Structure formats: structure tokens, C-alpha cells
Amino acid sequence: MTTHEVKLDINGSEHVVAVESRKTLADVIREDCSLTGTNVGCEHGVCGACTILLDGEPVRSCLLFAVQCEGMEVRTVEGLATADGLHPLQQAFSEHHALQCGFCTPGFLMLAVGALERDHDMSDDDVREVVTSNLCRCTGYQNITRAVMAAREVMP
Ligand code: FES
Ligand code: FES
């Protein structure tokens, strides 16, 4: 089995892993870096459960090979909360009941954080458009949309 050494900056910590070419970024984050907050659902780019930020952009980590991400900066759901407490978006998800089973939640959080960091002044329609990117089987989307709009008002 041929492996390649890949260096990733994940949530500010350096991870150096030896991975097969075929291994996805999602699997490397979960299995080699022990960060299991990123969920894997469909494994072919449809559901968005595996969304992370790669150099600041929301991407589906099941569609990337880890070897493509050498030297890049990864942010996962584990990096959102700080010693001071939850990230404003996590707080908003809690207050607006934006999750039920929670399987989709890490993906929605990273999707929305990336979108809000890129554009603080997103319109309500922009927020709705962003939220359509990922699938949730439980909530019906209204509360997720409300939570993202609420976070938009308080995110620095
Ligand atoms: S697991 Fe990656 S999009 Fe569904
Ligand atoms: S809260 Fe269950 S899939 Fe979204």
C-alpha cells in the first residue's frame, strides 16, 4: 500500500498524516485526525453533512482526496466554540431549535459560517439560497434559516 505524507492545518493545529491517494479528506479528518464532528452521509456530494471550510471556503470533504489538500487550512465544527463559549451561530442554532437529530448540523454550521464570514450583509434571500445547499431530514429548514439570520446580526 503506497501512502503519501500530507500536512494539514486543522483548527489551528498541524496534523501530518500518511494516507493512501484514494482516501477522502472527510475520512482523513475523521479517522486519521480523530475529529469525528464532521459527519459523512451520502459520500457523493449531495447531502452536505461533510461540509468543512478549506482555506475559508465551504466544501464537501467527501468529494476531495486528502492529498489534494496538502498545506491547506481546514476548519471543522470542533473549531467553532472557544474557551469563552459557543460560536454565535451555534448559540443561534440552540436558541432557534435549528436541529433535531443533529446529524446534518455540523455541515450546516460550517456552510453558514463560511457564507457569513464571506458576506456579513447577506439578504434573507441569500441566506435561504445558502441553506438550500445542504439536506436536513428533520427540521423543515425554517428554524435553520432563522438561526442563520439571527447569527448574521451578531457575528463580528
Ligand atoms: S457526505 Fe459529503 S455531501 Fe454527503
Ligand atoms: S436535524 Fe436531523 S437531519 Fe437535520
Side-chain angles (χ1 to χ4, degrees):
M1 179 178 76
T2 307
T3 60
H4 308 271
E5 187 176 285
V6 176
K7 190 189 301 180
L8 300 168
D9 175 332
I10 307 183
N11 303 326
S13 298
E14 184 179 283
H15 293 255
V16 180
V17 291
V19 298
E20 288 181 75
S21 318
R22 64 173 185 85
K23 196 158 188 180
T24 67
L25 179 61
D27 286 344
V28 167
I29 290 170
R30 290 177 53 84
E31 297 169 7
D32 298 271
C33 303
S34 301
L35 293 166
T36 53
T38 300
N39 285 331
V40 173
C42 67
E43 295 187 82
H44 63 275
V46 175
C47 73
C50 64
T51 303
I52 52 107
L53 298 184
L54 188 66
D55 282 353
E57 288 297 320
V59 298
R60 278 141 154 72
S61 58
C62 73
L63 292 185
L64 286 159
F65 295 117
V67 292
Q68 294 174 273
C69 307
E70 162 64 24
M72 297 183 82
E73 186 185 289
V74 174
R75 286 167 63 200
T76 69
V77 69
E78 288 91 345
L80 289 183
T82 67
D84 294 330
L86 294 177
H87 184 282
L89 190 62
Q90 291 173 308
Q91 190 65 40
F93 265 58
S94 172
E95 289 172 4
H96 292 270
H97 309 290
L99 62 144
Q100 291 180 29
C101 79
F103 189 83
C104 67
T105 309
F108 270 106
L109 289 170
M110 300 319 292
L111 171 74
V113 165
L116 287 169
E117 287 181 353
R118 191 185 324 126
D119 180 7
H120 267 226
D121 301 319
M122 278 199 299
S123 68
D124 289 358
D125 281 347
D126 290 338
V127 171
R128 290 191 191 94
E129 178 74 26
V130 165
V131 165
T132 62
S133 175
N134 286 15
L135 299 181
C136 174
R137 291 289 178 93
C138 305
T139 64
Y141 294 88
Q142 289 295 350
N143 289 353
I144 294 174
T145 304
R146 283 190 196 106
V148 177
M149 290 176 182
R152 175 187 59 189
E153 308 307 318
V154 296
M155 270 179 63

Short mmCIF file of all heavy atoms in Angstrom, two decimals, residues 45-113:
data_model
loop_
_atom_site.label_atom_id
_atom_site.label_comp_id
_atom_site.label_asym_id
_atom_site.label_seq_id
_atom_site.Cartn_x
_atom_site.Cartn_y
_atom_site.Cartn_z
N GLY A 45 -21.45 13.87 -2.45
CA GLY A 45 -21.60 15.30 -2.73
C GLY A 45 -23.00 15.85 -2.71
O GLY A 45 -23.21 16.99 -3.11
N VAL A 46 -23.98 15.09 -2.24
CA VAL A 46 -25.35 15.57 -2.29
C VAL A 46 -25.81 16.19 -0.97
O VAL A 46 -26.39 17.28 -0.95
CB VAL A 46 -26.32 14.42 -2.67
CG1 VAL A 46 -27.77 14.88 -2.61
CG2 VAL A 46 -25.98 13.91 -4.07
N CYS A 47 -25.55 15.54 0.15
CA CYS A 47 -26.21 15.94 1.40
C CYS A 47 -25.55 17.12 2.12
O CYS A 47 -26.21 17.84 2.85
CB CYS A 47 -26.30 14.75 2.34
SG CYS A 47 -24.72 14.24 3.10
N GLY A 48 -24.26 17.28 1.98
CA GLY A 48 -23.57 18.39 2.65
C GLY A 48 -23.23 18.13 4.10
O GLY A 48 -22.68 19.02 4.77
N ALA A 49 -23.51 16.95 4.61
CA ALA A 49 -23.20 16.66 6.03
C ALA A 49 -21.71 16.79 6.32
O ALA A 49 -21.30 17.05 7.45
CB ALA A 49 -23.68 15.25 6.38
N CYS A 50 -20.89 16.61 5.29
CA CYS A 50 -19.43 16.60 5.47
C CYS A 50 -18.80 17.97 5.22
O CYS A 50 -17.59 18.05 5.07
CB CYS A 50 -18.84 15.59 4.49
SG CYS A 50 -19.13 16.11 2.77
N THR A 51 -19.63 19.02 5.16
CA THR A 51 -19.09 20.35 4.81
C THR A 51 -18.10 20.85 5.86
O THR A 51 -18.37 20.82 7.06
CB THR A 51 -20.25 21.37 4.69
OG1 THR A 51 -21.18 20.89 3.71
CG2 THR A 51 -19.73 22.74 4.28
N ILE A 52 -16.97 21.29 5.38
CA ILE A 52 -15.94 21.93 6.22
C ILE A 52 -15.47 23.19 5.50
O ILE A 52 -15.88 23.43 4.36
CB ILE A 52 -14.73 20.98 6.46
CG1 ILE A 52 -14.17 20.43 5.12
CG2 ILE A 52 -15.13 19.80 7.35
CD1 ILE A 52 -12.88 21.00 4.72
N LEU A 53 -14.64 23.98 6.15
CA LEU A 53 -14.05 25.13 5.47
C LEU A 53 -12.64 24.78 5.06
O LEU A 53 -11.83 24.30 5.87
CB LEU A 53 -14.03 26.36 6.38
CG LEU A 53 -15.39 26.89 6.85
CD1 LEU A 53 -15.21 28.17 7.67
CD2 LEU A 53 -16.31 27.17 5.67
N LEU A 54 -12.33 24.97 3.79
CA LEU A 54 -11.00 24.72 3.26
C LEU A 54 -10.46 26.06 2.76
O LEU A 54 -11.03 26.64 1.82
CB LEU A 54 -11.08 23.70 2.12
CG LEU A 54 -9.76 23.17 1.58
CD1 LEU A 54 -9.03 22.34 2.65
CD2 LEU A 54 -10.01 22.30 0.34
N ASP A 55 -9.43 26.55 3.42
CA ASP A 55 -8.94 27.90 3.15
C ASP A 55 -10.10 28.90 3.13
O ASP A 55 -10.18 29.78 2.27
CB ASP A 55 -8.14 27.96 1.84
CG ASP A 55 -6.71 27.41 2.02
OD1 ASP A 55 -6.31 27.12 3.17
OD2 ASP A 55 -6.02 27.26 1.00
N GLY A 56 -11.02 28.72 4.08
CA GLY A 56 -12.11 29.68 4.28
C GLY A 56 -13.36 29.43 3.46
O GLY A 56 -14.38 30.08 3.68
N GLU A 57 -13.32 28.49 2.52
CA GLU A 57 -14.48 28.25 1.66
C GLU A 57 -15.19 26.96 2.06
O GLU A 57 -14.54 25.93 2.26
CB GLU A 57 -14.04 28.11 0.19
CG GLU A 57 -13.61 29.40 -0.44
CD GLU A 57 -14.73 30.43 -0.52
OE1 GLU A 57 -15.88 30.05 -0.82
OE2 GLU A 57 -14.45 31.61 -0.26
N PRO A 58 -16.51 27.00 2.17
CA PRO A 58 -17.23 25.75 2.46
C PRO A 58 -17.09 24.76 1.31
O PRO A 58 -17.32 25.12 0.15
CB PRO A 58 -18.70 26.20 2.60
CG PRO A 58 -18.66 27.68 2.75
CD PRO A 58 -17.42 28.15 2.03
N VAL A 59 -16.67 23.54 1.62
CA VAL A 59 -16.54 22.49 0.61
C VAL A 59 -17.06 21.18 1.18
O VAL A 59 -17.12 21.01 2.40
CB VAL A 59 -15.07 22.28 0.16
CG1 VAL A 59 -14.50 23.53 -0.49
CG2 VAL A 59 -14.20 21.82 1.32
N ARG A 60 -17.41 20.26 0.28
CA ARG A 60 -17.85 18.93 0.70
C ARG A 60 -16.59 18.06 0.81
O ARG A 60 -15.97 17.73 -0.22
CB ARG A 60 -18.84 18.36 -0.32
CG ARG A 60 -20.26 18.87 -0.11
CD ARG A 60 -20.93 19.14 -1.40
NE ARG A 60 -22.39 19.04 -1.35
CZ ARG A 60 -23.19 19.92 -0.77
NH1 ARG A 60 -22.69 20.95 -0.12
NH2 ARG A 60 -24.50 19.76 -0.82
N SER A 61 -16.26 17.68 2.02
CA SER A 61 -14.98 16.99 2.22
C SER A 61 -15.01 15.55 1.71
O SER A 61 -13.96 14.93 1.59
CB SER A 61 -14.56 17.03 3.68
OG SER A 61 -15.53 16.46 4.53
N CYS A 62 -16.20 15.03 1.38
CA CYS A 62 -16.26 13.67 0.80
C CYS A 62 -15.89 13.69 -0.68
O CYS A 62 -15.68 12.63 -1.27
CB CYS A 62 -17.64 13.05 0.98
SG CYS A 62 -18.92 13.77 -0.08
N LEU A 63 -15.83 14.87 -1.28
CA LEU A 63 -15.53 14.97 -2.71
C LEU A 63 -14.07 15.31 -2.98
O LEU A 63 -13.68 15.50 -4.12
CB LEU A 63 -16.42 16.03 -3.38
CG LEU A 63 -17.91 15.71 -3.47
CD1 LEU A 63 -18.63 16.81 -4.24
CD2 LEU A 63 -18.15 14.36 -4.12
N LEU A 64 -13.28 15.44 -1.92
CA LEU A 64 -11.87 15.78 -2.09
C LEU A 64 -11.01 14.64 -1.60
O LEU A 64 -11.34 13.99 -0.59
CB LEU A 64 -11.53 17.02 -1.25
CG LEU A 64 -12.05 18.35 -1.78
CD1 LEU A 64 -12.10 19.36 -0.65
CD2 LEU A 64 -11.15 18.85 -2.91
N PHE A 65 -9.92 14.40 -2.27
CA PHE A 65 -8.90 13.50 -1.73
C PHE A 65 -8.02 14.32 -0.80
O PHE A 65 -7.69 15.48 -1.10
CB PHE A 65 -8.06 12.89 -2.85
CG PHE A 65 -8.83 11.99 -3.76
CD1 PHE A 65 -8.98 12.29 -5.10
CD2 PHE A 65 -9.43 10.83 -3.28
CE1 PHE A 65 -9.70 11.46 -5.95
CE2 PHE A 65 -10.15 9.98 -4.11
CZ PHE A 65 -10.29 10.31 -5.44
N ALA A 66 -7.61 13.71 0.29
CA ALA A 66 -6.77 14.43 1.25
C ALA A 66 -5.47 14.91 0.60
O ALA A 66 -4.96 15.99 0.92
CB ALA A 66 -6.48 13.55 2.46
N VAL A 67 -4.94 14.12 -0.33
CA VAL A 67 -3.67 14.51 -0.96
C VAL A 67 -3.80 15.80 -1.77
O VAL A 67 -2.79 16.45 -2.05
CB VAL A 67 -3.11 13.37 -1.86
CG1 VAL A 67 -2.65 12.19 -1.02
CG2 VAL A 67 -4.11 12.97 -2.92
N GLN A 68 -5.03 16.17 -2.14
CA GLN A 68 -5.23 17.42 -2.86
C GLN A 68 -5.12 18.63 -1.93
O GLN A 68 -5.06 19.76 -2.41
CB GLN A 68 -6.64 17.47 -3.48
CG GLN A 68 -6.91 16.47 -4.57
CD GLN A 68 -8.38 16.56 -4.98
OE1 GLN A 68 -9.24 15.91 -4.40
NE2 GLN A 68 -8.66 17.38 -5.99
N CYS A 69 -5.13 18.38 -0.64
CA CYS A 69 -5.26 19.48 0.34
C CYS A 69 -3.96 19.74 1.08
O CYS A 69 -3.98 20.42 2.12
CB CYS A 69 -6.38 19.16 1.32
SG CYS A 69 -7.93 18.76 0.48
N GLU A 70 -2.87 19.24 0.58
CA GLU A 70 -1.57 19.43 1.22
C GLU A 70 -1.33 20.90 1.55
O GLU A 70 -1.48 21.78 0.69
CB GLU A 70 -0.47 18.92 0.27
CG GLU A 70 0.93 19.40 0.56
CD GLU A 70 1.48 18.91 1.91
OE1 GLU A 70 1.02 17.88 2.41
OE2 GLU A 70 2.37 19.61 2.44
N GLY A 71 -0.99 21.16 2.82
CA GLY A 71 -0.65 22.51 3.25
C GLY A 71 -1.83 23.45 3.43
O GLY A 71 -1.62 24.63 3.73
N MET A 72 -3.05 22.95 3.28
CA MET A 72 -4.19 23.86 3.33
C MET A 72 -4.75 23.97 4.75
O MET A 72 -4.47 23.16 5.62
CB MET A 72 -5.27 23.41 2.35
CG MET A 72 -4.79 23.45 0.91
SD MET A 72 -6.04 23.00 -0.30
CE MET A 72 -6.92 24.55 -0.46
N GLU A 73 -5.56 25.02 4.93
CA GLU A 73 -6.15 25.28 6.25
C GLU A 73 -7.57 24.73 6.26
O GLU A 73 -8.40 25.08 5.40
CB GLU A 73 -6.18 26.79 6.50
CG GLU A 73 -6.64 27.16 7.88
CD GLU A 73 -6.76 28.68 8.01
OE1 GLU A 73 -5.73 29.34 8.04
OE2 GLU A 73 -7.90 29.16 8.06
N VAL A 74 -7.81 23.87 7.23
CA VAL A 74 -9.12 23.23 7.38
C VAL A 74 -9.76 23.72 8.66
O VAL A 74 -9.10 23.86 9.69
CB VAL A 74 -8.97 21.69 7.45
CG1 VAL A 74 -10.30 21.01 7.75
CG2 VAL A 74 -8.36 21.16 6.15
N ARG A 75 -11.06 24.04 8.59
CA ARG A 75 -11.81 24.32 9.82
C ARG A 75 -12.98 23.37 9.89
O ARG A 75 -13.72 23.19 8.92
CB ARG A 75 -12.27 25.77 9.86
CG ARG A 75 -11.10 26.73 10.14
CD ARG A 75 -11.48 28.16 9.88
NE ARG A 75 -12.53 28.62 10.75
CZ ARG A 75 -13.30 29.70 10.47
NH1 ARG A 75 -13.13 30.36 9.34
NH2 ARG A 75 -14.22 30.09 11.31
N THR A 76 -13.14 22.76 11.06
CA THR A 76 -14.25 21.83 11.28
C THR A 76 -15.09 22.34 12.43
O THR A 76 -14.72 23.29 13.13
CB THR A 76 -13.73 20.42 11.63
OG1 THR A 76 -13.12 20.47 12.93
CG2 THR A 76 -12.72 19.92 10.60
N VAL A 77 -16.18 21.66 12.68
CA VAL A 77 -17.11 22.09 13.74
C VAL A 77 -16.42 22.15 15.10
O VAL A 77 -16.78 22.98 15.95
CB VAL A 77 -18.35 21.17 13.75
CG1 VAL A 77 -18.00 19.77 14.25
CG2 VAL A 77 -19.48 21.78 14.57
N GLU A 78 -15.41 21.31 15.29
CA GLU A 78 -14.71 21.32 16.59
C GLU A 78 -14.01 22.65 16.85
O GLU A 78 -13.67 22.97 17.99
CB GLU A 78 -13.68 20.19 16.67
CG GLU A 78 -14.27 18.79 16.81
CD GLU A 78 -14.53 18.12 15.48
OE1 GLU A 78 -14.53 18.80 14.43
OE2 GLU A 78 -14.74 16.89 15.48
N GLY A 79 -13.75 23.41 15.78
CA GLY A 79 -13.03 24.67 15.93
C GLY A 79 -13.92 25.87 16.19
O GLY A 79 -13.42 26.99 16.34
N LEU A 80 -15.23 25.68 16.25
CA LEU A 80 -16.12 26.84 16.37
C LEU A 80 -16.19 27.40 17.79
O LEU A 80 -16.05 28.60 18.00
CB LEU A 80 -17.54 26.47 15.91
CG LEU A 80 -17.73 26.25 14.41
CD1 LEU A 80 -19.20 25.97 14.12
CD2 LEU A 80 -17.25 27.44 13.60
N ALA A 81 -16.42 26.56 18.76
CA ALA A 81 -16.54 27.05 20.14
C ALA A 81 -15.15 27.42 20.66
O ALA A 81 -14.14 26.86 20.23
CB ALA A 81 -17.17 25.99 21.02
N THR A 82 -15.11 28.37 21.58
CA THR A 82 -13.84 28.76 22.21
C THR A 82 -13.99 28.61 23.72
O THR A 82 -15.06 28.23 24.21
CB THR A 82 -13.51 30.24 21.90
OG1 THR A 82 -14.49 31.05 22.54
CG2 THR A 82 -13.50 30.50 20.40
N ALA A 83 -12.93 28.95 24.43
CA ALA A 83 -12.99 28.88 25.90
C ALA A 83 -14.05 29.82 26.44
O ALA A 83 -14.56 29.64 27.55
CB ALA A 83 -11.62 29.22 26.48
N ASP A 84 -14.41 30.83 25.65
CA ASP A 84 -15.43 31.79 26.09
C ASP A 84 -16.85 31.28 25.86
O ASP A 84 -17.81 31.91 26.32
CB ASP A 84 -15.25 33.12 25.35
CG ASP A 84 -13.94 33.79 25.73
OD1 ASP A 84 -13.49 33.58 26.87
OD2 ASP A 84 -13.38 34.51 24.88
N GLY A 85 -16.99 30.19 25.12
CA GLY A 85 -18.34 29.67 24.91
C GLY A 85 -18.59 29.30 23.46
O GLY A 85 -17.67 29.21 22.65
N LEU A 86 -19.87 29.07 23.17
CA LEU A 86 -20.26 28.66 21.83
C LEU A 86 -20.02 29.79 20.82
O LEU A 86 -20.07 30.98 21.17
CB LEU A 86 -21.75 28.29 21.80
CG LEU A 86 -22.18 27.07 22.61
CD1 LEU A 86 -23.70 26.90 22.53
CD2 LEU A 86 -21.47 25.81 22.09
N HIS A 87 -19.80 29.40 19.58
CA HIS A 87 -19.78 30.35 18.48
C HIS A 87 -21.20 30.94 18.35
O HIS A 87 -22.18 30.25 18.63
CB HIS A 87 -19.39 29.59 17.20
CG HIS A 87 -19.23 30.44 16.00
ND1 HIS A 87 -20.31 30.93 15.28
CD2 HIS A 87 -18.12 30.91 15.37
CE1 HIS A 87 -19.86 31.65 14.26
NE2 HIS A 87 -18.54 31.65 14.30
N PRO A 88 -21.32 32.21 17.94
CA PRO A 88 -22.66 32.81 17.83
C PRO A 88 -23.63 31.99 16.98
O PRO A 88 -24.83 31.95 17.27
CB PRO A 88 -22.38 34.16 17.16
CG PRO A 88 -20.97 34.48 17.51
CD PRO A 88 -20.25 33.17 17.63
N LEU A 89 -23.12 31.31 15.97
CA LEU A 89 -24.02 30.50 15.14
C LEU A 89 -24.49 29.26 15.90
O LEU A 89 -25.66 28.86 15.80
CB LEU A 89 -23.31 30.11 13.84
CG LEU A 89 -24.19 29.47 12.78
CD1 LEU A 89 -25.29 30.42 12.31
CD2 LEU A 89 -23.36 29.02 11.59
N GLN A 90 -23.60 28.65 16.67
CA GLN A 90 -24.03 27.51 17.49
C GLN A 90 -25.08 27.96 18.51
O GLN A 90 -26.08 27.27 18.75
CB GLN A 90 -22.82 26.91 18.23
CG GLN A 90 -21.84 26.19 17.32
CD GLN A 90 -20.60 25.76 18.07
OE1 GLN A 90 -19.95 26.56 18.75
NE2 GLN A 90 -20.25 24.49 17.94
N GLN A 91 -24.85 29.13 19.10
CA GLN A 91 -25.81 29.67 20.07
C GLN A 91 -27.16 29.90 19.40
O GLN A 91 -28.22 29.57 19.96
CB GLN A 91 -25.25 30.99 20.63
CG GLN A 91 -26.02 31.54 21.81
CD GLN A 91 -25.94 30.63 23.03
OE1 GLN A 91 -24.89 30.07 23.32
NE2 GLN A 91 -27.05 30.47 23.71
N ALA A 92 -27.12 30.45 18.20
CA ALA A 92 -28.37 30.72 17.48
C ALA A 92 -29.08 29.42 17.12
O ALA A 92 -30.31 29.33 17.20
CB ALA A 92 -28.07 31.53 16.21
N PHE A 93 -28.33 28.38 16.73
CA PHE A 93 -28.97 27.09 16.43
C PHE A 93 -29.67 26.55 17.68
O PHE A 93 -30.77 26.00 17.59
CB PHE A 93 -27.92 26.07 15.94
CG PHE A 93 -27.82 26.00 14.44
CD1 PHE A 93 -27.53 27.12 13.69
CD2 PHE A 93 -28.00 24.79 13.77
CE1 PHE A 93 -27.43 27.06 12.30
CE2 PHE A 93 -27.92 24.71 12.39
CZ PHE A 93 -27.63 25.85 11.65
N SER A 94 -29.04 26.72 18.82
CA SER A 94 -29.65 26.25 20.06
C SER A 94 -30.91 27.05 20.38
O SER A 94 -31.97 26.48 20.66
CB SER A 94 -28.62 26.37 21.19
OG SER A 94 -29.21 26.08 22.43
N GLU A 95 -30.82 28.37 20.30
CA GLU A 95 -31.94 29.22 20.68
C GLU A 95 -33.12 29.10 19.73
O GLU A 95 -34.27 29.26 20.14
CB GLU A 95 -31.48 30.68 20.76
CG GLU A 95 -30.57 30.93 21.96
CD GLU A 95 -29.94 32.31 21.96
OE1 GLU A 95 -30.26 33.13 21.06
OE2 GLU A 95 -29.11 32.57 22.85
N HIS A 96 -32.85 28.82 18.46
CA HIS A 96 -33.93 28.76 17.47
C HIS A 96 -34.34 27.32 17.13
O HIS A 96 -35.04 27.10 16.16
CB HIS A 96 -33.51 29.52 16.21
CG HIS A 96 -33.41 31.00 16.44
ND1 HIS A 96 -34.47 31.86 16.25
CD2 HIS A 96 -32.39 31.75 16.90
CE1 HIS A 96 -34.09 33.10 16.56
NE2 HIS A 96 -32.83 33.05 16.95
N HIS A 97 -33.89 26.38 17.93
CA HIS A 97 -34.26 24.96 17.74
C HIS A 97 -34.00 24.51 16.31
O HIS A 97 -34.87 23.94 15.64
CB HIS A 97 -35.74 24.75 18.11
CG HIS A 97 -36.07 25.30 19.46
ND1 HIS A 97 -35.62 24.73 20.63
CD2 HIS A 97 -36.78 26.40 19.83
CE1 HIS A 97 -36.04 25.46 21.66
NE2 HIS A 97 -36.74 26.47 21.20
N ALA A 98 -32.79 24.78 15.83
CA ALA A 98 -32.46 24.51 14.44
C ALA A 98 -31.92 23.11 14.21
O ALA A 98 -31.31 22.86 13.18
CB ALA A 98 -31.46 25.56 13.95
N LEU A 99 -32.10 22.24 15.18
CA LEU A 99 -31.68 20.85 14.98
C LEU A 99 -32.60 19.91 15.73
O LEU A 99 -33.20 20.28 16.73
CB LEU A 99 -30.24 20.62 15.43
CG LEU A 99 -29.93 20.85 16.91
CD1 LEU A 99 -28.89 19.85 17.38
CD2 LEU A 99 -29.43 22.27 17.12
N GLN A 100 -32.69 18.71 15.18
CA GLN A 100 -33.43 17.66 15.88
C GLN A 100 -32.47 16.49 16.12
O GLN A 100 -31.87 16.39 17.17
CB GLN A 100 -34.68 17.28 15.11
CG GLN A 100 -35.71 18.43 15.15
CD GLN A 100 -36.97 18.13 14.41
OE1 GLN A 100 -37.39 16.99 14.28
NE2 GLN A 100 -37.60 19.18 13.88
N CYS A 101 -32.28 15.62 15.11
CA CYS A 101 -31.32 14.52 15.35
C CYS A 101 -29.89 15.03 15.40
O CYS A 101 -29.03 14.45 16.03
CB CYS A 101 -31.47 13.43 14.29
SG CYS A 101 -30.68 13.82 12.72
N GLY A 102 -29.62 16.15 14.69
CA GLY A 102 -28.30 16.77 14.74
C GLY A 102 -27.29 16.24 13.73
O GLY A 102 -26.18 16.76 13.66
N PHE A 103 -27.68 15.25 12.94
CA PHE A 103 -26.70 14.67 12.02
C PHE A 103 -26.22 15.69 10.99
O PHE A 103 -25.04 15.74 10.65
CB PHE A 103 -27.28 13.44 11.31
CG PHE A 103 -26.25 12.69 10.53
CD1 PHE A 103 -25.43 11.76 11.14
CD2 PHE A 103 -26.06 12.93 9.17
CE1 PHE A 103 -24.44 11.09 10.42
CE2 PHE A 103 -25.09 12.25 8.44
CZ PHE A 103 -24.29 11.33 9.07
N CYS A 104 -27.13 16.51 10.52
CA CYS A 104 -26.76 17.49 9.48
C CYS A 104 -26.09 18.73 10.06
O CYS A 104 -25.56 19.55 9.31
CB CYS A 104 -28.02 17.92 8.73
SG CYS A 104 -29.16 18.88 9.77
N THR A 105 -26.17 18.91 11.36
CA THR A 105 -25.83 20.19 11.98
C THR A 105 -24.39 20.65 11.76
O THR A 105 -24.17 21.83 11.41
CB THR A 105 -26.17 20.16 13.49
OG1 THR A 105 -27.51 19.70 13.64
CG2 THR A 105 -26.02 21.54 14.12
N PRO A 106 -23.39 19.80 11.95
CA PRO A 106 -22.02 20.29 11.70
C PRO A 106 -21.85 20.83 10.28
O PRO A 106 -21.18 21.86 10.08
CB PRO A 106 -21.15 19.05 11.94
CG PRO A 106 -21.95 18.22 12.89
CD PRO A 106 -23.39 18.42 12.47
N GLY A 107 -22.46 20.16 9.32
CA GLY A 107 -22.36 20.62 7.93
C GLY A 107 -23.04 21.96 7.74
O GLY A 107 -22.51 22.86 7.07
N PHE A 108 -24.24 22.13 8.32
CA PHE A 108 -24.93 23.42 8.20
C PHE A 108 -24.14 24.53 8.89
O PHE A 108 -24.07 25.66 8.39
CB PHE A 108 -26.34 23.33 8.81
CG PHE A 108 -27.38 22.90 7.82
CD1 PHE A 108 -27.91 21.63 7.86
CD2 PHE A 108 -27.85 23.77 6.85
CE1 PHE A 108 -28.88 21.21 6.95
CE2 PHE A 108 -28.82 23.38 5.93
CZ PHE A 108 -29.33 22.09 5.99
N LEU A 109 -23.58 24.22 10.05
CA LEU A 109 -22.81 25.25 10.77
C LEU A 109 -21.64 25.72 9.93
O LEU A 109 -21.40 26.94 9.79
CB LEU A 109 -22.32 24.69 12.12
CG LEU A 109 -23.40 24.48 13.19
CD1 LEU A 109 -22.81 23.71 14.37
CD2 LEU A 109 -23.96 25.82 13.67
N MET A 110 -20.88 24.79 9.36
CA MET A 110 -19.70 25.19 8.60
C MET A 110 -20.10 25.90 7.30
O MET A 110 -19.45 26.86 6.88
CB MET A 110 -18.79 23.99 8.33
CG MET A 110 -18.29 23.28 9.58
SD MET A 110 -17.78 24.37 10.94
CE MET A 110 -16.32 25.14 10.26
N LEU A 111 -21.17 25.42 6.68
CA LEU A 111 -21.69 26.09 5.48
C LEU A 111 -22.03 27.55 5.79
O LEU A 111 -21.63 28.47 5.08
CB LEU A 111 -22.94 25.35 5.00
CG LEU A 111 -23.74 26.01 3.89
CD1 LEU A 111 -23.00 25.88 2.56
CD2 LEU A 111 -25.14 25.36 3.79
N ALA A 112 -22.77 27.75 6.89
CA ALA A 112 -23.25 29.10 7.22
C ALA A 112 -22.12 29.98 7.73
O ALA A 112 -22.08 31.18 7.41
CB ALA A 112 -24.37 29.00 8.25
N VAL A 113 -21.21 29.44 8.51
CA VAL A 113 -20.08 30.24 8.97
C VAL A 113 -19.28 30.75 7.77
O VAL A 113 -18.92 31.93 7.69
CB VAL A 113 -19.16 29.43 9.92
CG1 VAL A 113 -17.82 30.13 10.10
CG2 VAL A 113 -19.83 29.25 11.28
#
